[in-house]
Amino acid sequence: DGYSLCHSLHALFNIDWIHGGQYWSFRHHLLHFFNALKTSGVVPVVVFDGIDSKREKEQVIWKRRREWVKRIRETILNEHRHTQGILPVMSIEVFREVLEELQIPLYFVDGEADPDTVAIANYYHCPVVAQDSDYYMFNVEAGYIPISHLNWEGKPVTADMFTLQQFSSIFGFSDPKLCRMIPSIIGNDFLSDLYDNVLKQDITLSTQSTVGHSRSTAKVERVVRYTARFHSVPELLEHVSTLEGGSGLRHALANNFKKAECMYNIMHTITEDQLMTHTDLNTTGGNEIPEWVLRQYRCGYFVS
């Protein structure tokens, strides 16, 4: 996952971008990273988010940009600077140029990268590498490798891989489908947040707080423990319906879960050639995009 990888590696390399972005340093670290993979026989394919033509994430994107502006201001004004978590404006372009220099295949897709990333991974029976908890929920056949679990400096490179089935087993879920109730409750870029006062109170009373974790991590852990208490999705929904205002909450949660099932169950596979030549995008006039334009777009010459 290109954007996830770029953000994660930039934070991992701990680059002080305050005085000009330090793009040459970022390039040096990226070359080291990808050459380490190459030495171990790893051949990556990198997939990036493309144009949000349906404006499904418009509000999320603007919210994140406002947060970035706030964090940049706070970082610059703070004497004890913590520069991680902020990506200098040209970093994606540097990342793309390094991939091009090393002749690593890269593709900018029509919209959200996750579905096509999984579809390509399942076609080649290879794992997905990113730092995005959504991939725990996808049906990635060969598994998901968080960057934090990729020992890329080792010789050879080693990693811990996770599948939905493993995730379900580790946390004691009776039915793997219940795992997708986690994002259905917490929400994500496409699912509404249902962790409201009523459900939050029920979850808190049903689980023990996690000491020593951040508030967001403790929240996720409580939701995981809460959903694992039930034996099936219908049982959880039936329980929610007994809470105050439960009828409306049950309907909202069932609707979120239905969306989550569609989102995370990628039933098709796709090859690199198919991705390069097929698109659902059209021009503003409703015409098909010429193939030569599509190829330039896929290679990242129109978006960054």
Side-chain angles (χ1 to χ4, degrees):
D1 186 319
Y3 277 109
S4 177
L5 188 63
C6 187
H7 278 267
S8 301
L9 290 178
H10 195 277
L12 181 66
F13 300 149
N14 196 25
I15 297 171
D16 186 349
W17 47 264
I18 294 292
H19 301 291
Q22 302 300 326
Y23 297 116
W24 192 256
S25 176
F26 186 40
R27 176 184 180 276
H28 170 77
H29 286 295
L30 289 174
L31 289 172
H32 181 45
F33 173 80
F34 284 110
N35 282 326
L37 298 185
K38 182 179 179 181
T39 301
S40 288
V42 178
V43 181
V45 176
V46 184
V47 183
F48 292 89
D49 292 338
I51 296 172
D52 182 26
S53 60
K54 298 178 182 179
R55 297 189 173 182
E56 295 176 306
K57 293 179 64 174
E58 185 175 27
Q59 296 303 316
V60 173
I61 291 171
W62 280 112
K63 180 183 177 182
R64 286 177 181 170
R65 287 178 178 175
R66 286 192 293 268
E67 289 173 351
W68 289 343
V69 170
K70 181 181 177 181
R71 286 162 65 188
I72 289 170
R73 181 178 182 277
E74 290 174 349
T75 301
I76 292 174
L77 294 178
N78 190 351
E79 292 182 6
H80 305 288
R81 292 168 176 166
H82 180 69
T83 60
Q84 292 187 2
I86 301 171
L87 200 65
V89 66
M90 296 299 293
S91 299
I92 293 294
E93 182 60 21
V94 173
F95 190 66
R96 189 193 66 78
E97 287 184 358
V98 168
L99 295 176
E100 201 171 58
E101 179 182 340
L102 297 176
Q103 297 183 324
I104 294 173
L106 66 107
Y107 303 96
F108 283 78
V109 298
D110 288 357
E112 181 76 5
D114 297 13
D116 284 327
T117 302
V118 174
I120 290 177
N122 285 346
Y123 177 82
Y124 291 110
H125 303 288
C126 64
V128 169
V129 178
Q131 195 67 40
D132 184 345
S133 57
D134 275 333
Y135 285 110
Y136 288 115
M137 301 293 112
F138 277 104
N139 58 324
V140 188
E141 294 174 3
Y144 158 55
I145 302 175
I147 293 292
S148 55
H149 289 255
L150 177 66
N151 180 24
W152 60 273
E153 292 184 293
K155 296 182 180 180
V157 169
T158 58
D160 296 318
M161 291 188 289
F162 302 89
T163 64
L164 178 60
Q165 196 69 38
Q166 288 173 318
F167 184 94
S168 172
S169 177
I170 289 170
F171 291 102
F173 283 85
S174 301
D175 181 358
K177 282 189 175 182
L178 271 166
C179 297
R180 290 175 179 155
M181 270 296 179
I182 301 167
S184 299
I185 293 172
I186 296 174
N188 58 25
D189 291 349
F190 300 96
L191 301 175
S192 55
D193 184 354
L194 299 180
Y195 193 72
D196 65 355
N197 291 333
V198 175
L199 193 52
K200 178 181 178 180
Q201 184 179 14
D202 189 50
I203 291 171
T204 303
L205 291 174
S206 303
T207 58
Q208 294 181 351
S209 298
T210 306
V211 180
H213 287 70
S214 67
R215 182 180 298 180
S216 61
T217 304
K219 170 184 171 181
V220 173
E221 191 162 338
R222 283 196 296 267
V223 173
V224 170
R225 292 181 180 181
Y226 178 79
T227 52
R229 293 172 55 241
F230 299 93
H231 294 92
S232 66
V233 171
E235 182 187 342
L236 191 156
L237 291 173
E238 181 62 29
H239 172 76
V240 168
S241 68
T242 66
L243 303 176
E244 181 183 349
S247 178
L249 184 57
R250 183 190 191 283
H251 177 75
L253 186 56
N255 189 47
N256 257 13
F257 180 74
K258 184 178 180 180
K259 290 180 181 178
E261 283 283 272
C262 292
M263 181 187 308
Y264 295 121
N265 266 328
I266 307 300
M267 305 308 295
H268 67 285
T269 60
I270 189 171
T271 67
E272 293 178 69
D273 288 339
Q274 289 171 332
L275 182 61
M276 182 61 81
T277 57
H278 174 75
T279 183
D280 292 327
L281 297 175
N282 291 312
T283 65
T284 52
N287 299 316
E288 290 186 3
I289 296 176
E291 185 175 331
W292 70 270
V293 174
L294 178 61
R295 287 185 177 275
Q296 296 292 305
Y297 167 77
R298 287 282 186 256
C299 293
Y301 296 130
F302 292 163
V303 295
S304 61

